[in-house]
Amino acid sequence: MADTPAHDNDLAQAEQDLARLLQTLADGRQEGRESLSLARLAKRSTLPMSALLRYLSVLTEAGWVSLEDGERGLQLVRLTAAGVAQLDSLSTSGDPQ
């Protein structure tokens, strides 16, 4: 199946969304928050919850984020060491944001 311009645009958008999601988690770490709730992460990353959950599934499988149960039944998302390394490699790839 050949790539189409629409497919390329979708892929580029997904890459941007994933990078923004990792950066949002890294920003939270710099603020002293080791983890963020799903609601806070969706708001800060400006991603719809449905997209956020799809991306987190991929990132969790890759070992870049972890999901854990927090207080009051909240699910929390934390950037792993592998996720930090991946974010560093994205930041140094020369792609301006």
Side-chain angles (χ1 to χ4, degrees):
M1 182 165 115
D3 286 339
T4 63
H7 179 264
D8 291 344
N9 288 340
D10 290 346
L11 185 58
Q13 183 63 53
E15 288 173 354
Q16 289 174 2
D17 290 347
L18 286 166
R20 185 168 71 240
L21 184 53
L22 290 173
Q23 186 61 56
T24 301
L25 287 165
D27 291 347
R29 282 174 56 121
Q30 288 177 340
E31 297 166 3
R33 294 179 183 269
E34 284 299 311
S35 57
L36 296 173
S37 69
L38 289 175
R40 185 178 300 256
L41 185 55
K43 185 175 182 176
R44 284 186 169 201
S45 66
T46 66
L47 290 170
M49 187 61 76
S50 58
L52 176 66
L53 292 172
R54 279 193 312 273
Y55 291 143
L56 287 176
S57 174
V58 171
L59 294 173
T60 300
E61 225 173 271
W64 298 348
V65 301
S66 66
L67 294 171
E68 47 200 51
D69 293 328
E71 296 177 15
R72 301 184 314 261
L74 291 177
Q75 201 164 27
L76 302 174
V77 183
R78 184 172 47 86
L79 195 59
T80 64
V84 171
Q86 182 62 30
L87 180 61
D88 288 344
S89 76
L90 290 172
S91 299
T92 58
S93 69
D95 186 22
Q97 292 192 11

